[in-house]
Amino acid sequence: MLGTPPIAHADMNAPALGLLAGLARIHRTVLLVDAEDGVVWSSDAFNELTGRDWVGEQVDALFGSPERHLELRRRLGRDGCLANEPIGVVCHDGSEIGATLSAVGVPASCGAGLTLAIVRPDDDALQPIEPGSGGDYYRSILDSCSDAVVALDQRGWVIYANPQLASLLGKPIASLPGLPVALAFAPRFGFQALADSLRPARKGCGAEIDLTRDDSPLSLAIDYTPLALPDGSNAGTVAFVRDVTEQRRAETDLEHKNDELEHYVHAVSHDLRTPLVSLLGFSRLLIQDYGDVLTDTGRHFLERIEQASRTMEALINDLLELSRIGSTPGQRDWVDPLPVLKQLASELKPQLETVNIEFTLPTAPPVVYAVRTHLYQVFANLIGNAVAHMGEREGAAIVVELEETQDTVIISVRDNGEGIAGKDHERVFEIFQALKPRGGERRGTGIGLAIVKKIAEAHGGRAWLQSEPGQGAAFFVSFPRT
């Protein structure tokens, strides 16, 4: 439970309040002290321990000996931190409680000159895992583990750390057991991130956090689980820590390269429009003004030029749309897919009737959490793809269905057309990988299914295919419900 810090205090800002929220989840009995040794915040558990609220008081009033306070203040200024120093804490009734004090300066972003003080009463005994305590066999396993491992008791003190963790933090292995975890990891961690990562609510939780080591960025992946005793009681937390800095750097570099590629595609597509418009314009002028003096061969050539230009225009439009999906996420909302599908059915009606394809829509589909225009594009590309590759057959049919699960809505577009060989299931979602259409149809741009895949991934879902040659095809797209 957090105490209530004085909002008007000059040193209390948003990062400081976040720090306090994190501390309350790691250690119970803590204080935040300013540069003049005034208490600017104290936890409820500490106030209960001493029988008074310490906000606004001087921290030296906590100690039975002012000389001891001055000694600790000098050492803190010299070393930057204190670890488990024995002190006496004076209570409201004048009695004194034996305890240990740990202290460290907090990041300057939280306020100038602030110090975190962590107090542990002596009657709350720490029980670190020591050699010879009966756990040597398990300790040797953890010591040789490739991951960094730390075990914390219920109050957030380190009871075990393996050599890999010490190496990761750049600290001697012997210095870690017995430390409050906020001090063991300080000042590399933000306390809120540390709290979120090392105090799990359930077994098997995981998190990723960013910190610094020797002024260089460091990314850690942490998997943690409650530390259970043989009788089933909970004794704290065990965390397994992996350095994923290089993996994150590679992912960041890849994202930058993808962004550059999308920008390049967008720029080139725009630049290609100008000469294309001229090409189409002059072709039409030739037909209109000189069509009567052209031979049949000449008119055929002009028609071929216009047809190729229209294909190029469609390709440029698809490329622009593909580049926009990643850069402009759009406003997601709960979308009823039925009006979208009915609009498409109306637009496709002449084409469907020409090739005699039965088109079946769902009657009461679940709503989809998506960008409406993106959902339209998914349906349009999947249905258009099914029409283009239906082939000549009796009883041609396309069926659209939506299935709702606990976490997702899955769209399926099924046809009874020619089908797709297994070796092409992944390739059809790649850009410029259009398969040969049915006879008489013009080959597409090869971008439609790539757009479907990118929209699905931009929404946190995926796109996949089930098909066999001659058995039709079923395309699926999942949209998470949140």
Side-chain angles (χ1 to χ4, degrees), residues 125-172:
L126 176 67
Q127 296 181 343
I129 301 175
E130 298 290 351
S133 62
D136 288 352
Y137 175 73
Y138 301 103
R139 184 186 183 94
S140 66
I141 293 175
L142 293 177
D143 281 351
S144 60
C145 180
S146 59
D147 286 346
V149 181
V150 61
L152 311 176
D153 70 4
Q154 289 180 310
R155 285 186 176 267
W157 260 253
V158 176
I159 58 177
Y160 166 80
N162 70 351
Q164 288 72 22
L165 181 74
S167 175
L168 193 63
L169 298 178
K171 294 188 176 183

Side-chain angles (χ1 to χ4, degrees), residues 179-438:
L179 285 181
V181 69
L183 187 62
F185 284 83
R188 296 176 173 88
F189 278 100
F191 291 106
Q192 183 66 54
L194 182 62
D196 292 341
S197 302
L198 296 180
R199 293 298 299 269
R202 63 187 184 279
K203 184 175 181 180
C205 293
E208 289 189 9
I209 55 177
D210 296 318
L211 54 122
T212 59
R213 181 181 60 194
D214 301 327
D215 297 324
S216 298
L218 184 67
S219 297
L220 299 180
I222 302 181
D223 296 307
Y224 40 82
T225 186
L227 176 59
L229 296 178
D231 62 3
S233 61
N234 186 281
T237 301
V238 177
F240 296 85
V241 186
R242 289 177 291 112
D243 184 350
V244 293
T245 306
E246 290 303 319
Q247 180 181 345
R248 295 295 165 265
R249 183 178 293 118
E251 291 175 354
T252 300
D253 290 343
L254 181 59
E255 288 176 0
H256 288 163
K257 290 177 180 177
N258 284 338
D259 289 342
E260 291 174 0
L261 180 59
E262 288 178 355
H263 178 74
Y264 175 76
V265 168
H266 193 269
V268 169
S269 299
H270 269 293
D271 290 344
L272 287 174
R273 278 177 176 255
T274 300
L276 181 61
V277 169
S278 297
L279 183 62
L280 283 168
F282 285 117
S283 297
R284 285 193 294 268
L285 287 174
L286 278 173
I287 290 288
Q288 292 170 9
D289 297 343
Y290 300 97
D292 55 343
V293 299
L294 291 173
T295 63
D296 290 342
T297 301
R299 283 192 294 272
H300 174 69
F301 287 162
L302 279 175
E303 290 170 358
R304 292 289 299 274
I305 290 172
E306 184 169 3
Q307 185 181 42
S309 299
R310 293 298 180 192
T311 300
M312 176 65 77
E313 184 179 42
L315 178 60
I316 291 172
N317 289 336
D318 284 350
L319 281 171
L320 282 171
E321 189 55 50
L322 187 66
S323 68
R324 278 194 292 261
I325 291 169
S327 58
T328 55
Q331 179 62 46
R332 297 183 192 179
D333 202 350
W334 293 104
V335 181
D336 183 353
L338 197 54
V340 178
L341 286 167
K342 288 181 177 179
Q343 177 186 344
L344 267 171
S346 176
E347 295 171 359
L348 293 172
K349 184 177 181 181
Q351 185 179 0
L352 294 170
E353 291 178 347
T354 299
V355 293
N356 197 25
I357 297 177
E358 182 182 357
F359 187 40
T360 304
L361 300 181
T363 56
V367 293
V368 182
Y369 189 63
V371 181
R372 190 184 190 282
T373 55
H374 287 177
L375 186 62
Y376 175 90
Q377 288 175 295
V378 167
F379 284 128
N381 282 300
L382 291 181
I383 296 168
N385 179 76
V387 173
H389 296 84
M390 178 62 68
E392 299 292 342
R393 65 189 61 246
E394 292 292 330
I398 297 173
V399 179
V400 180
E401 296 177 329
L402 287 90
E403 177 186 358
E404 187 175 23
T405 68
Q406 181 177 356
D407 301 319
T408 61
V409 173
I410 300 175
I411 294 170
S412 65
V413 177
R414 303 174 184 270
D415 66 68
N416 59 350
E418 298 172 337
I420 301 173
K423 63 182 179 64
D424 294 322
H425 284 193
E426 294 294 330
R427 187 169 69 89
V428 296
F429 290 103
E430 297 174 5
I431 191 170
F432 302 135
Q433 294 296 322
L435 300 180
K436 183 180 179 181
R438 66 186 180 89

Side-chain angles (χ1 to χ4, degrees), residues 21 38 58 69 74 106 123 192 252 328 348 385 451:
Q58 291 297 114
H69 166 251
R74 284 194 296 269
V106 303
D123 60 4
Q192 183 66 54
T252 300
T328 55
L348 293 172
N385 179 76
I451 289 175

